[in-house]
């Protein structure tokens, strides 16, 4: 697909660019006043996710403001547990609250209903966004990697040390693997529907891949992500898959070498040159910039952005952050960052 209209998609497929294509994790979100206004109009965060017109609107907002190379579907990784029957709420100021699943009977109740009954508005959002985007702007569909989603389901929300939840795996491996399997199977169906509705690429977010012992990393993070990517490739072979294993620096070669992995997202702690040398020639690289540099702005942000572009010069590289924008990011620093990348 060397002739794909999107420079971002061509890069994921291995083509180096003179200026890297660019998008940002959490590019739609609370740092933008127009996002806050639309969220207010929707009611709550989940109401926004399930309202196709308004979710499409917030997906477009950063594209309109900055003219990026890719839009990312506005949704959340916790919609999958919700579609499987877990009660999910977002409390103002305290993040997600879920009904924990910690035993076999709670596990067997998951997925009794068709997940698409809950998720069909998301596919409608994808259609609306794809219809409204220029051809050279790609639309990224996404899901959480099974381990990251499982941490929220096991803990009943976000916790300080998600890696410590591996103790559930040591206590009862069949239970945790059963949970991972339900999430994996649902995620495959969900992502194929996103692709069929118009998503041009898929990103899997494994925010809590870090801090696990190597064999556990392989079993709980790498294997389920590989299964999802393999299933996508088998069903929709042209669609690139990006894996973002945050904290998984020691395993970058393993993720990158998976036959169905097209690109690896690197977090803000990864050393750039080492990431370039380990991931290439297996896969393209995306990301790396510390999102807090964009809060700071000025010379520290500008110098880091130039150095990042320089490190990945002549390789297939997508400019992005090493995790999402935080709410206190000044939107004008984002504009400046984009200018720096385009002029370097
Ligand atoms: O612009 C985009 O990147 C697309 C939309 C997107 C959101 N969440 C919107 C969102 C994406 C790709 C996600 C992924 C996501 N969701 C992850 C993986 C990436 C990461 O950030 O680590 C995780 C772990 C979640 C779960 C989640 N969603 C948490 C823990 C929270 C609360 C913490 C917080 O930042 O408020 C959310 C809420 C959420 N998801 C917001 C947004 C814009 C903020 C909600 C609000 O408007 O109040």
């Amino acid at each position: 697909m060397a002739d794909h209209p999107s420079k971002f998609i061509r890069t994921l497929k291995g083509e180096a660019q003179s200026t890297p294509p660019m998008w940002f994790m959490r590019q739609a979100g609370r740092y933008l006043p127009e996002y806050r206004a639309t969220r207010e109009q929707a009611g709550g965060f989940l109401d926004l996710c399930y309202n196709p017109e308004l979710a499409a609107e917030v997906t477009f907002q950063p594209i309109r403001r900055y003219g990026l190379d890719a839009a990312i579907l506005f949704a959340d990784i916790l919609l999958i547990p919700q579609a499987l029957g877990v009660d999910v709420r977002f409390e103002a100021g305290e993040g997600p609250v879920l009904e924990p699943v910690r035993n076999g009977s709670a596990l067997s109740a998951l997925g009794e209903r068709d997940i698409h009954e809950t998720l069909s508005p998301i596919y409608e959002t994808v259609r609306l966004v794809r219809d409204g985007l220029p051809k050279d702007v790609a639309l990224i569909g996404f899901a959480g990697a099974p381990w990251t989603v499982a941490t929220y389901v096991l803990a009943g929300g976000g916790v300080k040390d998600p890696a410590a939840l591996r103790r559930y795996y040591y206590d009862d491996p069949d239970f945790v693997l059963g949970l991972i399997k339900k999430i994996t199977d649902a995620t495959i169906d969900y992502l194929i529907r996103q692709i069929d509705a118009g998503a041009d690429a898929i990103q899997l977010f494994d925010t809590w891949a870090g801090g696990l012992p190597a064999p556990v990393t392989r079993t709980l993070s790498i294997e389920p992500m590989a299964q999802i990517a393999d299933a996508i490739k088998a069903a929709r072979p042209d669609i690139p898959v990006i894996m973002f294993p945050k904290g998984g620096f020691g395993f970058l070669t393993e993720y990158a070498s998976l036959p169905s992995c097209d690109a690896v997202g690197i977090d803000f702690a990864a050393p750039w040159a080492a990431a370039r040398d380990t991931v290439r020639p297996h896969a393209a690289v995306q990301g790396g910039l510390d999102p807090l540099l964009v809060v700071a702005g000025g010379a520290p942000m500008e110098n880091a952005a130039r150095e990042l572009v320089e490190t990945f010069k002549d390789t297939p590289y997508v400019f992005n952050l090493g995790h999402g924008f935080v709410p206190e990011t000044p939107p004008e620093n984002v504009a400046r960052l984009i200018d720096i990348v385009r002029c370097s």
Side-chain angles (χ1 to χ4, degrees):
M1 269 229 165
D3 56 347
H4 197 284
S6 152
K7 169 163 125 172
F8 165 73
I9 298 291
R10 294 198 305 272
T11 307
L12 297 179
K13 289 173 184 271
E15 193 182 286
Q17 311 297 335
S18 49
T19 305
M22 186 169 20
W23 69 280
F24 300 106
M25 292 189 275
R26 289 278 168 99
Q27 63 191 22
R30 284 164 295 184
Y31 77 106
L32 289 179
E34 59 269 36
Y35 169 83
R36 296 195 298 269
T38 310
R39 197 186 85 158
E40 188 77 19
Q41 193 189 337
F45 172 67
L46 286 173
D47 301 305
L48 176 54
C49 291
Y50 290 117
N51 181 322
E53 281 75 24
L54 296 183
E57 165 58 25
V58 294
T59 306
F60 290 132
Q61 283 169 353
I63 306 301
R64 263 188 226 129
R65 194 189 255 262
Y66 300 119
L68 301 162
D69 296 286
I72 180 161
L73 164 68
F74 190 84
D76 197 82
I77 67 165
L78 299 179
L79 304 187
I80 279 287
Q82 189 170 51
L84 285 168
V86 176
D87 184 51
V88 177
R89 284 172 298 125
F90 279 83
E91 306 285 345
E94 65 168 298
V97 179
L98 292 79
E99 168 200 359
V101 174
R102 291 195 188 135
N103 57 49
S105 66
L107 176 61
S108 42
L110 294 188
E112 277 176 342
R113 258 190 12 185
D114 178 5
I115 58 165
H116 306 302
E117 279 177 31
T118 304
L119 297 170
S120 59
I122 310 307
Y123 313 138
E124 183 56 21
T125 306
V126 173
R127 279 188 283 272
L128 291 175
V129 174
R130 190 54 275 173
D131 278 353
L133 283 176
K135 288 227 176 327
D136 60 348
V137 179
L139 172 57
I140 304 165
F142 76 91
W147 168 245
T148 288
V149 174
T151 65
Y152 290 93
V153 174
L154 289 167
V159 286
K160 260 218 176 89
D161 183 9
L165 297 166
R166 66 187 180 277
R167 75 189 160 85
Y168 288 103
Y169 172 65
Y170 295 145
D171 285 349
D172 189 348
D174 289 345
F175 165 71
V176 170
L177 291 173
L179 175 61
I180 296 266
K181 178 159 172 40
K182 283 207 172 178
I183 296 168
T184 301
D185 291 347
T187 300
I188 292 168
D189 284 357
Y190 176 51
L191 292 175
I192 289 174
R193 296 271 184 134
Q194 289 185 26
I195 293 166
D196 290 346
D200 302 297
I202 293 298
Q203 176 152 324
L204 295 172
F205 288 88
D206 213 351
T207 304
W208 306 126
L212 298 169
V216 182
T217 303
R218 295 194 179 101
T219 305
L220 298 183
S221 171
I222 300 180
E223 272 178 35
M225 278 218 263
Q227 272 176 35
I228 294 169
D230 287 349
I232 291 171
K233 288 291 167 184
R236 305 291 180 266
D238 280 343
I239 301 297
V241 176
I242 308 163
M243 295 183 180
F244 175 55
K246 184 169 171 281
F249 179 70
F251 299 87
L252 286 187
T253 313
E254 291 184 44
Y255 291 100
S257 306
L258 294 170
S260 303
C261 174
D262 297 281
V264 177
I266 58 169
D267 64 51
F268 56 78
W272 299 335
R276 176 196 62 207
D277 297 342
T278 50
V279 173
R280 296 302 307 156
H282 310 289
V285 179
Q286 171 179 281
L289 190 77
D290 185 352
L292 298 189
L293 280 171
V294 194
V295 178
M301 172 186 84
E302 296 175 14
N303 294 338
R306 288 193 189 95
E307 190 188 331
L308 183 52
V309 172
E310 186 57 32
T311 304
F312 287 94
K313 201 173 158 46
D314 300 323
T315 72
Y317 172 71
V318 175
F319 195 91
N320 202 322
L321 307 170
H323 199 191
F325 282 135
V326 296
E328 55 274 29
T329 307
E332 59 276 17
N333 287 358
V334 177
R336 178 73 184 140
L337 173 63
I338 293 168
D339 281 349
I340 296 290
V341 174
R342 293 214 172 115
C343 298
S344 51

